[in-house]
Amino acid sequence: MKGDQTGQELLDEALRVLDPNVIGFEIEFQTFDLSLEHRRKTNNKVVYEAAQAMKRTGFGLKAATITPEEKGDVGSPNAILRKEIDGKVIIRTGRRIPGVRPVAGTFAPISVIRMAVGDAYGAKEWREGEGLDEIAYRTETIDRKTCRAVAEFAFRHAKKTNAKVFGGPKYTVSPVYEGLLKEEMDQASQKYPEVRYEPQLIDATYALLINNSGDPLVIPALNRDGDCLSDMVLQLFGSIAGSESILMSFDEEFNPQVIMAEAPHGTAPSLFGKNVANPMAMILASASLLTYFGDAKAAAASRAIYEAVIETVREGVRTADLGGSATTTEFTNEVIRKVQTKLEVWTTLQGF
């Protein structure tokens, strides 16, 4: 799914890494132009077409796009995509970036499992009264199925990564509304007794994260809480560029059904056309998709990309936002070189 400004430039870099000459096998892409101009031209029809394609194939790779602020314009393509594929969770993982100093000594990975729909987003809003007597209202809703998806995936992800499920909603103040997610977290903890579980109120979660350094964490969160929390978590590791963002829908058994990967940052118009933006998050987004292909070659390529990105930064090939001088193209070139070397070596050593 093509995007706008720097978002599209960075998608192009990620696609260079996914070239068959780099990863050793071909991926068939269906392309949809989700640039603001084309969304306006098609009155968002292209967004719905992209969503249907993701439902057919199970995968999507999306560039950052512009969301116009004017009322009555085409709005956010992400909101449409989430609704159309029945997306339930958004996963963002903060991790150490070599050579980039984290905040408060944070070094163990932290994954935020955010509710993808409902809550403060799409809520009905209105005002009544005038002057100082004016009152603003908002009706928010969450549903048990989405809460269960968040809790279930959080515990499965924690089990997979040997992490602790930590944090949670402010259920003491909102036992009916926010308590719904807490009930599902508690139920999931009974289902996965081998997973460490330390529920905390959302305000305590923020405070305790500043002091956390050792344990890998998985944090289930409501939509609004998770939106704010994931931005903070990524910045704890020094840059929002070090993580991919994954939107996921599930089947009735809460197994992943559709996976859409993107970078968590926006279109960065000030960097557009300058060849200086950091492609790291977009490249990691492409690597994350490969892990869900269920194919040995794809799994190997995914690991090679992840390792190559981290090693590239560690060796000092960094864009300006990470304190380096490499251009966007130079960073990607180095990642490609490392991926090709790794896959060639691994193939040579098979059987040893």
Side-chain angles (χ1 to χ4, degrees):
M1 289 165 278
K2 293 183 175 180
D4 294 292
Q5 299 170 340
T6 307
Q8 179 56 37
E9 292 179 340
L10 299 183
L11 175 63
D12 290 338
E13 296 299 310
L15 292 176
R16 288 177 58 208
V17 179
L18 294 181
D19 187 276
N21 291 324
V22 179
I23 61 175
F25 63 95
E26 189 166 352
I27 302 173
E28 180 184 348
F29 289 101
Q30 299 176 44
T31 303
F32 298 86
D33 184 358
L34 266 58
S35 65
L36 179 58
E37 180 183 5
H38 196 64
R39 281 181 279 136
R40 284 172 171 165
K41 183 178 179 180
T42 64
N43 195 27
N44 276 334
K45 181 182 177 183
V46 66
V47 185
Y48 288 94
E49 291 173 344
Q52 290 304 310
M54 279 199 288
K55 290 172 73 172
R56 288 194 304 270
T57 63
F59 302 98
L61 183 63
K62 179 184 174 294
T65 48
I66 295 172
T67 297
E69 296 181 3
E70 296 81 6
K71 191 174 182 180
D73 208 329
V74 289
S76 168
N78 282 353
I80 296 173
L81 294 171
R82 290 174 194 175
K83 182 178 179 181
E84 289 300 304
I85 70 169
D86 194 27
K88 294 298 186 187
V89 303
I90 297 171
I91 307 104
R92 292 179 179 177
T93 300
R95 57 178 71 91
R96 282 296 301 271
I97 305 173
V100 177
R101 185 175 182 178
V103 175
T106 305
F107 65 86
I110 302 173
S111 295
V112 178
I113 312 301
R114 168 190 166 190
M115 187 179 292
V117 292
D119 197 31
Y121 300 81
K124 181 182 177 182
E125 296 183 327
W126 72 97
R127 295 179 184 178
E128 296 179 2
E130 297 179 354
L132 293 178
D133 293 324
E134 187 176 20
I135 301 173
Y137 297 87
R138 181 170 67 196
T139 59
E140 302 178 5
T141 61
I142 56 176
D143 62 271
R144 186 172 293 279
K145 186 175 183 180
T146 302
C147 289
R148 184 163 297 179
V150 170
E152 181 75 20
F153 186 81
F155 275 85
R156 291 187 186 184
H157 188 64
K159 181 179 179 180
K160 177 182 176 182
T161 58
N162 195 30
K164 174 171 63 178
V165 175
F166 182 83
K170 188 86 171 181
Y171 65 92
T172 52
V173 171
S174 178
V176 174
Y177 181 86
E178 300 198 25
L180 190 59
L181 176 57
K182 178 61 163 53
E183 290 172 11
E184 291 299 328
M185 289 167 58
D186 291 345
Q187 182 174 307
S189 74
Q190 298 299 314
K191 187 176 179 181
Y192 299 94
E194 68 276 22
V195 175
R196 291 171 294 162
Y197 179 41
E198 187 178 326
Q200 298 283 349
L201 300 178
I202 184 63
D203 50 343
T205 301
Y206 273 102
L208 292 169
L209 281 179
I210 303 299
N211 296 323
N212 175 74
S213 60
D215 287 328
L217 302 178
V218 174
I219 308 175
L222 296 170
N223 201 346
R224 177 70 174 270
D225 289 344
D227 192 358
C228 301
L229 188 63
S230 60
D231 283 357
M232 191 197 82
V233 163
L234 297 189
Q235 287 296 342
L236 280 177
F237 291 89
S239 174
I240 199 171
S243 174
E244 67 281 8
S245 180
I246 303 171
L247 171 68
M248 192 174 292
S249 71
F250 301 92
D251 61 20
E252 292 302 315
E253 301 299 320
F254 297 100
N255 298 308
Q257 192 167 44
V258 179
I259 298 99
M260 186 188 89
E262 59 183 332
H265 54 66
T267 60
S270 64
L271 305 180
F272 180 49
K274 298 179 180 178
N275 197 27
V276 296
N278 189 344
M280 185 175 176
M282 200 67 226
I283 294 172
L284 292 176
S286 68
S288 70
L289 275 186
L290 299 181
T291 64
Y292 294 97
F293 277 22
D295 176 84
K297 285 187 176 180
S302 177
R303 178 175 178 179
I305 295 170
Y306 271 105
E307 289 187 6
V309 168
I310 299 301
E311 287 175 12
T312 296
V313 176
R314 184 178 183 275
E315 292 173 8
V317 181
R318 304 171 188 162
T319 47
D321 61 308
L322 298 182
S325 59
T327 65
T328 306
T329 304
E330 287 170 345
F331 183 92
T332 307
N333 287 346
E334 184 61 20
V335 170
I336 288 172
R337 187 186 69 80
K338 290 182 182 301
V339 170
Q340 289 173 320
T341 299
K342 287 176 181 293
L343 292 176
E344 185 176 346
V345 170
W346 294 347
T347 300
T348 302
L349 294 177
Q350 280 181 356
F352 284 85

